[in-house]
Amino acid sequence: MERIPQVKPVRRRKANRRALVFLALFFLSLATFLFVRSPYSKIHAVHVTGTHLLSPGEVIRQSGLVPGHTLILFSADRVRERLARLPEVKETAVAWRWPNEVEIAVTERAVLAYVVQNGQHVPLLEGGVLLFHRAGKGPYVDLPLVTRWEEPRRLPQLAAGLTKLPAAVRERLSEIQLVPTAAYPDRVRLYTREGFVVYTSLAHLADKLAALPQLLDDRLRENPQERGVFYLFDAMWYEGTAKTADE
């Protein structure tokens, strides 16, 4: 005689599982509801680090994060996208810190020089970005001034060369001018803080100027009173009598 399968225990197990799922969803919904109604669901504070050109307030306004707003819709990727629209920003790191604080670490583009336009000093950033809205607002004592530059399209090339130079080299420069010739349409004239003049090209800027501190120091040791001209092209030479006029 065949045995009839028992189905009641199977149905009971399925019912128990459905009840457990229902209870789990209920408590999850209740926890979500309580969290949303609690102070911990709201942004308590936004902390900003790494700013120099920008103020923390400017970063927070651009981020869209406002203390008191809900954390439920917080998205680090969305905040980074918003901050990337600021020309001063190179990259950012955004993180939520338990229980209800947000940290934004900003890496700004370096200020390489100040371009003198209409009597104002416009910051030139790496990447060739000009910050016209910050003209005259920054300290430009330790950065070179670009005082004669008739071809704005070559500013990104200048920025690229300056970016590759160590800060110790850039700090020795006081002024940069574009003085093209038929042979070198990208020729530049640079003045050092010690009073020397340097001629090179934008194409040679990064590799030739890397040796400039050593060249200056050697010349100052040999003759502390002399201020001459360095020519740093495919060939490199020095003339003891300073020339400031175009050749």
Side-chain angles (χ1 to χ4, degrees):
M1 183 176 180
E2 293 185 4
R3 192 172 178 180
I4 300 175
Q6 298 183 1
V7 296
K8 288 185 178 180
V10 175
R11 291 176 179 173
R12 189 178 298 112
R13 286 196 295 271
K14 289 183 177 179
N16 289 341
R17 282 199 295 268
R18 284 196 295 268
L20 289 174
V21 171
F22 174 79
L23 286 173
L25 291 175
F26 172 78
F27 284 113
L28 179 61
S29 300
L30 179 61
T32 302
F33 174 78
L34 293 175
F35 176 75
V36 170
R37 296 295 299 272
S38 75
Y40 295 109
S41 69
K42 306 294 190 299
I43 297 175
H44 174 68
V46 180
H47 303 286
V48 178
T49 59
T51 55
H52 302 284
L53 290 169
L54 293 163
S55 68
E58 288 175 306
V59 173
I60 292 173
R61 284 192 294 274
Q62 180 67 23
S63 73
L65 300 174
V66 180
H69 283 196
T70 181
L71 274 166
I72 298 298
L73 301 177
F74 168 76
S75 168
D77 289 339
R78 190 180 303 118
V79 172
R80 283 193 293 268
E81 289 174 4
R82 291 176 62 90
L83 293 176
R85 300 170 193 166
L86 294 171
E88 297 90 342
V89 171
K90 183 176 183 180
E91 59 184 23
T92 56
V94 182
W96 170 43
R97 295 288 178 252
W98 177 262
N100 54 357
E101 296 185 350
V102 178
E103 292 184 359
I104 302 175
V106 178
T107 302
E108 294 182 342
R109 299 181 189 276
V111 181
L112 304 172
Y114 283 86
V115 180
V116 180
Q117 291 191 357
N118 300 321
Q120 291 188 311
H121 298 81
V122 182
L124 174 65
L125 306 186
E126 55 181 315
V129 178
L130 282 173
L131 295 183
F132 291 100
H133 63 289
R134 296 192 181 277
K137 295 182 180 179
Y140 47 84
V141 175
D142 296 328
L143 292 171
L145 299 179
V146 181
T147 58
R148 174 180 169 181
W149 204 274
E150 303 300 329
E151 297 184 53
R153 65 184 180 85
R154 291 194 180 275
L155 282 174
Q157 192 177 0
L158 171 64
L162 291 176
T163 299
K164 296 176 183 178
L165 290 174
V169 177
R170 296 198 301 266
E171 290 170 359
R172 304 289 288 264
L173 305 176
S174 63
E175 193 171 339
I176 304 173
Q177 299 175 344
L178 182 65
V179 286
T181 64
Y184 291 99
D186 63 341
R187 190 182 71 154
V188 289
R189 178 169 58 213
L190 307 101
Y191 296 88
T192 74
R193 299 192 184 280
E194 297 87 353
F196 290 91
V197 178
V198 181
Y199 283 96
T200 188
S201 66
L202 292 174
H204 288 90
L205 193 68
D207 59 317
K208 297 300 183 182
L209 287 192
L212 184 61
Q214 187 64 52
L215 294 173
L216 294 175
D217 293 341
D218 290 345
R219 185 57 54 183
L220 288 170
R221 279 193 296 269
E222 291 178 14
N223 192 337
Q225 306 303 318
E226 184 182 80
R227 296 295 182 269
V229 183
F230 290 95
Y231 296 89
L232 309 180
F233 296 94
D234 292 322
M236 300 170 56
W237 71 96
Y238 173 79
E239 292 183 357
T241 302
K243 296 181 181 180
T244 58
D246 290 346
E247 298 175 356

